[in-house]
Amino acid sequence: AFAGIKPGQTVGDFLPGGGYFTRIFAKAVGPTGTVYAIQPPAQPRPDGSTPPPPAVVAIAADPAYANVKVVSTSPASFALPTPADIIWTSQNYHDLHLKRLNLDVPSVNKAVFAAIKPGGLYIVLDHAAAPGSPVEVADTLHRIDPAIVRRELEAAGFKYEGESTVLRNPADDHAKGVFDPTLRGHTDQFIYKFRKPK
């Protein structure tokens, strides 16, 4: 409801992971809509073996999700077959700052901006770091200060439209990593809505 996803729309699920939201979006847009699962190409493992296909490949092959299309592309230079009404990323924006990925985050944000229709939305859901935390906590805690996300996306041309607080958790002291067994699944999470101006 916060994203305003409707039947017939085109939604980009940016870095879909296991496809939890991909499935939800597919049902929300219905048979007249399209969901693009925007997934980086599989990289060989350090031992040279090939990793299994991403989960979204199996989802897209399932007739129950015939409106899901996998777009295998670099996060910094992707383009979609048709512009999206909404692009959504869940618990992954902080990953763009991981040192091992060596991504140019402004280029990623420009690619997302270009892939959205004028007037369309970009929704960012992620694990909150403590206010004022440096971006480097992405590597250690897998969190990001929401203020950094807002600053970076406004610099890319997006207009901030608001926040949903449904996943906020004031009991999270932000000092632990998101995979800590005492916290996993209960982190303080923010959901920001940005709009591409018409």
Side-chain angles (χ1 to χ4, degrees):
F2 178 68
I5 296 174
K6 299 176 180 66
Q9 286 188 321
T10 298
V11 175
D13 191 1
F14 184 45
L15 307 174
Y20 175 86
F21 282 102
T22 310
R23 293 180 179 92
I24 293 172
F25 299 150
K27 298 306 180 184
V29 301
T32 61
T34 303
V35 177
Y36 292 121
I38 306 160
Q39 177 71 42
Q43 299 295 320
R45 292 175 171 151
D47 64 3
S49 64
T50 303
V56 291
V57 171
I59 295 169
D62 183 339
Y65 297 99
N67 58 353
V68 173
K69 314 295 180 196
V70 178
V71 178
S72 182
T73 183
S74 164
S77 60
F78 76 90
L80 298 179
T82 58
D85 294 288
I86 297 166
I87 291 184
W88 176 294
T89 190
S90 301
Q91 301 174 344
N92 283 311
Y93 190 92
H94 72 272
D95 288 330
L96 301 177
H97 287 280
L98 297 179
K99 288 179 185 174
R100 64 181 173 80
L101 296 183
N102 195 31
L103 288 171
D104 178 36
V105 177
S107 294
V108 175
N109 290 335
K110 286 179 183 176
V112 172
F113 187 88
I116 297 174
K117 294 175 183 177
L121 297 173
Y122 186 27
I123 309 293
V124 178
L125 183 165
D126 213 335
H127 305 283
S133 296
V135 74
E136 287 78 15
V137 300
D139 276 302
T140 55
L141 301 179
H142 291 276
R143 298 173 178 268
I144 191 164
D145 180 355
I148 293 173
V149 176
R150 182 171 176 177
R151 184 168 61 246
E152 290 180 348
L153 292 180
E154 288 179 334
F158 287 101
K159 301 299 181 189
Y160 175 77
E161 286 223 334
E163 174 185 9
S164 170
T165 59
V166 296
L167 296 180
R168 284 294 197 173
N169 179 10
D172 179 357
D173 68 4
H174 306 97
K176 296 177 180 175
V178 302
F179 303 114
D180 186 293
T182 65
L183 186 63
R184 189 168 191 170
H186 301 284
T187 56
D188 180 27
Q189 297 176 55
F190 63 96
I191 312 173
Y192 276 1
K193 180 192 294 186
F194 298 88
R195 190 174 297 278
K196 177 177 178 175
K198 290 186 178 180

